[in-house]
């Protein structure tokens, strides 16, 4: 059963100097209980996509297309309904837990808040539920009385995960949940996320620039470049036999899970990702592409079938498809 369907989703920020097309026509599906990884370098539109899913974008963002959660379009929901969906049906874990927690409020009170707001616990029972949630993310119950600064980065990220789990949502969106953590802690938090979604049949959208992390946790992988999906398919296959030259560069950049050295710039890929306000013509990747043809400067081929339940947006993929 399909839980979430993005249909031609686009997000454009309107700023003083013009328009920033951050997400451009993304269509993706997520089955109930499945995990989808969204990869791409910084600036490719991943966080914009994540925020659009729960309508957390700033007011200057214009959103087009449809976001169907169980067939209901999030973009046209009334605010009351939207508030009910947040936390209770879908919740989000942000990059760098520091920003997600209130520094002057005790951990336990912060975890209890969504429970109380959604009437899922009476004030006198919330403490018990908070203790359970802390235990589920591997923290002792007494941590409820701590303030965020008394916790390590990994512990804070566990608290964020406890908050996301609090109202038993069916979908969790995790935006670079381990990027700010060191390698050992990153591996522990990834294991925790994997166990939790498997045990509870929660669907997951996990965002990272690190393809190896996503391939480890998610069954499906979508690779974004300049606001578009350029490759999509089963994650092991996408990771090990990428069809798009950009995916190949990302896979080569992150050969092992959480390698801190290769975190920043993909190896073997010169240049920077394009500025959305000044996108290259044709295939937006062509100026950096090692296998670009002359026509790539003017031709954007879009996604083509690239094997069993796979697609890729590359002229070489199209050529193979047309030859077969
Ligand atoms: P990622 O998460 O993949 O790094 P983002 O979604 O954060 O990418 O950003 C995509 C593009 O949108 C970038 O070019 C970024 O500068 C731009 N952008 C993000 N937020 C805003 C905003 N509030 N106003 C204008 N531009 C933005
Ligand atoms: Mg981001």
């Amino acid at each position: 059963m399909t839980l979430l369907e993005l249909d031609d989703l686009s997000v454009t920020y309107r700023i003083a100097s013009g328009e920033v097309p951050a997400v451009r026509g993304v269509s993706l599906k997520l089955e109930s209980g499945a995990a989808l990884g969204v990869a791409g370098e910084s600036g490719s539109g991943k966080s914009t996509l994540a925020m659009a899913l729960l309508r957390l974008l700033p007011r200057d963002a214009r959103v087009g297309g449809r976001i169907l959660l169980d067939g209901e379009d999030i973009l046209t929901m009334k605010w009351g309904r939207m508030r009910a969906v947040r936390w209770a049906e879908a919740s989000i874990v942000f990059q760098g837990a520091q920003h997600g927690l209130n520094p002057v409020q005790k951990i336990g009170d912060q975890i209890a808040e969504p429970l109380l707001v959604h009437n899922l616990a009476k004030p006198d029972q919330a403490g018990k539920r908070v203790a359970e949630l802390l235990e589920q993310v591997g923290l002792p119950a007494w941590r409820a009385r701590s303030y965020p600064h008394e916790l390590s980065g990994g512990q804070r990220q566990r608290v964020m995960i406890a908050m996301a789990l609090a109202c038993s949502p069916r979908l969790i969106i995790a935006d670079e949940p381990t990027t700010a953590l060191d390698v050992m802690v990153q591996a522990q938090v990834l294991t925790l996320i994997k166990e939790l979604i498997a045990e509870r049949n929660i669907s997951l959208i996990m965002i990272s620039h690190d393809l190896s992390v996503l391939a480890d946790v998610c069954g499906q992988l979508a690779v974004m470049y300049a606001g578009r999906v350029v490759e999509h398919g089963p994650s092991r296959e996408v990771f090990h036999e990428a069809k798009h030259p950009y995916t190949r560069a990302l896979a080569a950049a992150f050969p092992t899970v959480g390698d801190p050295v290769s975190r920043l710039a993909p190896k073997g890929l010169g240049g920077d990702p394009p500025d959305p306000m000044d996108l290259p013509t044709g295939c937006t990747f062509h100026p950096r592409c090692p296998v670009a043809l002359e026509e790539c400067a003017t031709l954007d081929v879009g996604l083509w079938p690239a094997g069993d339940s796979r697609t890729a947006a590359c002229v070489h993929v199209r050529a193979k498809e047309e030859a077969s």
Side-chain angles (χ1 to χ4, degrees), residues 202-262:
I202 294 174
S203 308
L204 174 74
I205 293 185
M206 185 151 129
I207 292 174
S208 176
H209 57 281
D210 186 333
L211 215 57
S212 60
V213 161
L214 295 177
D216 184 37
V217 176
C218 304
Q220 295 278 314
L221 213 57
V223 178
M224 283 182 77
Y225 191 77
R228 288 226 168 124
V229 172
V230 296
E231 178 153 10
H232 177 250
S235 64
R236 297 267 152 206
E237 291 159 45
V238 171
F239 184 54
H240 292 293
E241 316 152 40
K243 303 277 186 179
H244 196 288
Y246 179 61
T247 314
R248 274 200 291 277
L250 276 186
F254 305 105
T256 50
V257 174
D259 176 5
V261 193
S262 56

Side-chain angles (χ1 to χ4, degrees), residues 303-317:
L303 287 167
W304 279 78
D308 216 7
S309 27
R310 297 184 60 177
T311 52
C314 175
V315 70
H316 297 287
V317 172

Side-chain angles (χ1 to χ4, degrees), residues 13-15 20-23 39-51 57-58 60-61 95 175-176 207 224 227 274-277:
Y13 295 102
R14 280 171 293 189
I15 57 171
V20 185
V23 173
E41 278 166 290
S42 172
S44 53
K46 306 180 301 298
S47 294
T48 301
L49 180 90
M51 288 190 289
L57 289 165
D60 63 2
Q95 176 168 5
D175 188 356
E176 311 251 13
I207 292 174
M224 283 182 77
D275 176 351
M277 293 183 80

Side-chain angles (χ1 to χ4, degrees), residues 120-145:
L120 293 170
K122 299 227 164 57
D124 58 330
Q125 300 155 358
K128 187 161 162 274
R129 178 78 181 120
V130 167
E132 275 168 25
L133 286 161
L134 284 171
E135 191 198 323
Q136 279 160 9
V137 297
L139 291 173
W142 62 264
R143 274 297 181 195
R145 297 190 297 277

